[in-house]
Amino acid sequence: MNDKDILELKNMIDINNIPNHVAVIMDGNGRWAKKRSLPRTVGHQEGMKRVVEIVEVAKKLNIKYLSLYAFSTENWKRPKEEIDGIMKILVYYIRNELEKIHKNNIKIQIMGNINRLPKTPREEVLKAVEKTKDNTDMVLNIGLNYGGKDDIIRGVKNILKDIKMGKINEEDIDVELFSNYLYTKNMPDPDLLIRPSGELRLSNFMLYQMAYTEFWFSDIFWPDFKEEHFYKAIIDYQKRNRRFGGI
Ligand code: FPP
């Protein structure tokens, strides 16, 4: 697509109906690399470049929350070499992008238990969260060792603890209270989920939070996902009739 076509697409976006929260399952890095006879890690490196671009595009569109699935609770099953590669890329990303992210008033948040991460990525992530904690323009919410089922179970355990301590009563538990026990507390639910790579599933991503999320799928692999695909997803989203169970 040339610049003129991209601009035309961008102009089709209704700026009064921008999704507040966009979630992305960045899938297809491995297949993108395989197609080129490259190691899978090269696919993740290329995927990271798309993260840099998409964060910028989302910020410019005034999207307030961007959730990215970087590493799932199930991804530990992958070969050590690939896991180490993803962790290195994460560290590289933070070291290279943190200043820019901070200057752009973006707050980095993490969903998932980062205690299981190796020391260096864990420390870099904590540094990024601390440095950007007061930023207000956009939340970049990164799923690291994240699983939707794990998120819910952790919430249930913490609710039980608070009941035992007398902080809340069983009768207080409702959808809103429960939401505050998830990693995404203080965040609205995603309006739009983008999943490239041709897979049509949630893969344990934000299960509770996606009850009324609009899904957008595409066959392209994440390393091929460009600005124009993001615009297309938003334009499609804006055509949806969201009823939230009403009429
Ligand atoms: C899924 O593709 C992708 C991952 C498990 C890793 C995603 C990580 C990055 C894009 C880089 C680091 C992230 C940040 C936020 C800087 P896959 O490997 O499952 O692809 P496949 O289905 O084709 O094998």
Side-chain angles (χ1 to χ4, degrees):
M1 224 179 210
N2 63 37
D3 287 355
K4 190 173 152 274
D5 291 341
I6 296 173
L7 190 66
E8 224 163 81
L9 205 57
K10 193 179 175 188
N11 288 336
M12 285 170 70
I13 295 173
D14 174 2
I15 52 158
N16 297 311
N17 184 22
I18 295 290
N20 197 26
H21 184 174
V22 177
V24 187
I25 300 178
M26 308 183 289
D27 195 17
N29 296 348
R31 279 164 287 166
W32 180 93
K34 195 173 173 210
K35 222 171 88 181
R36 289 161 178 78
S37 307
L38 294 166
R40 291 178 58 85
T41 315
V42 178
H44 298 310
Q45 276 167 7
E46 204 56 33
M48 186 213 71
K49 292 182 197 165
R50 298 297 90 75
V51 172
V52 174
E53 292 164 8
I54 284 319
V55 167
E56 218 161 286
V57 174
K59 170 83 202 303
K60 282 190 186 143
L61 285 172
N62 209 17
I63 284 165
K64 292 294 171 197
Y65 300 87
L66 180 67
S67 291
L68 304 178
Y69 206 4
F71 197 86
S72 77
T73 44
E74 288 74 35
N75 285 152
W76 298 107
K77 291 179 203 158
R78 297 190 176 202
K80 186 179 179 303
E81 195 185 300
E82 182 173 345
I83 296 173
D84 290 349
I86 295 174
M87 294 299 155
K88 268 194 191 139
I89 293 166
L90 178 70
V91 169
Y92 178 92
Y93 173 77
I94 296 173
R95 288 186 179 157
N96 276 273
E97 291 298 309
L98 187 57
E99 275 313 316
K100 194 170 87 198
I101 287 173
H102 186 47
K103 224 189 283 159
N104 281 334
N105 201 16
I106 296 171
K107 175 178 176 171
I108 295 183
Q109 264 181 217
I110 302 297
M111 348 180 245
N113 180 4
I114 58 162
N115 291 331
R116 197 174 161 190
L117 260 52
K119 190 166 174 277
T120 308
R122 193 175 63 235
E123 286 176 356
E124 289 294 326
V125 161
L126 289 172
K127 215 190 291 171
V129 169
E130 174 59 26
K131 188 178 171 81
T132 62
K133 68 178 192 306
D134 297 321
N135 292 347
T136 52
D137 266 10
M138 184 174 100
V139 171
L140 172 58
N141 177 43
I142 306 175
L144 282 173
N145 187 22
Y146 176 80
K149 289 186 177 181
D150 182 62
D151 196 358
I152 294 167
I153 289 168
R154 176 180 164 272
V156 169
K157 284 184 177 167
N158 284 331
I159 280 196
L160 287 173
K161 266 188 213 154
D162 281 357
I163 290 177
K164 264 190 209 153
M165 285 169 69
K167 283 192 192 167
I168 54 164
N169 298 311
E170 188 185 328
E171 302 76 52
D172 300 333
I173 302 172
D174 60 13
V175 168
E176 201 188 328
L177 182 131
F178 191 71
S179 301
N180 288 324
Y181 280 83
L182 298 173
Y183 282 114
T184 45
K185 64 171 183 286
N186 305 325
M187 285 177 66
D189 287 343
D191 298 294
L192 170 66
L193 167 75
I194 294 174
R195 180 169 195 161
S197 96
E199 308 294 0
L200 308 178
R201 55 175 172 258
L202 265 181
S203 299
N204 203 13
F205 193 42
M206 303 180 85
L207 300 180
Y208 189 86
Q209 296 88 339
M210 296 238 196
Y212 278 101
T213 301
E214 297 294 329
F215 291 177
W216 190 86
F217 297 107
S218 160
D219 283 342
I220 57 159
F221 296 137
W222 174 249
D224 291 323
F225 190 93
K226 297 282 168 59
E227 181 184 4
E228 60 258 38
H229 302 107
F230 202 53
Y231 297 153
K232 277 184 190 165
I234 291 173
I235 292 163
D236 277 358
Y237 162 83
Q238 293 183 333
K239 291 180 192 147
R240 309 271 177 96
N241 177 7
R242 301 186 77 194
R243 293 186 297 281
F244 298 94
I247 52 171

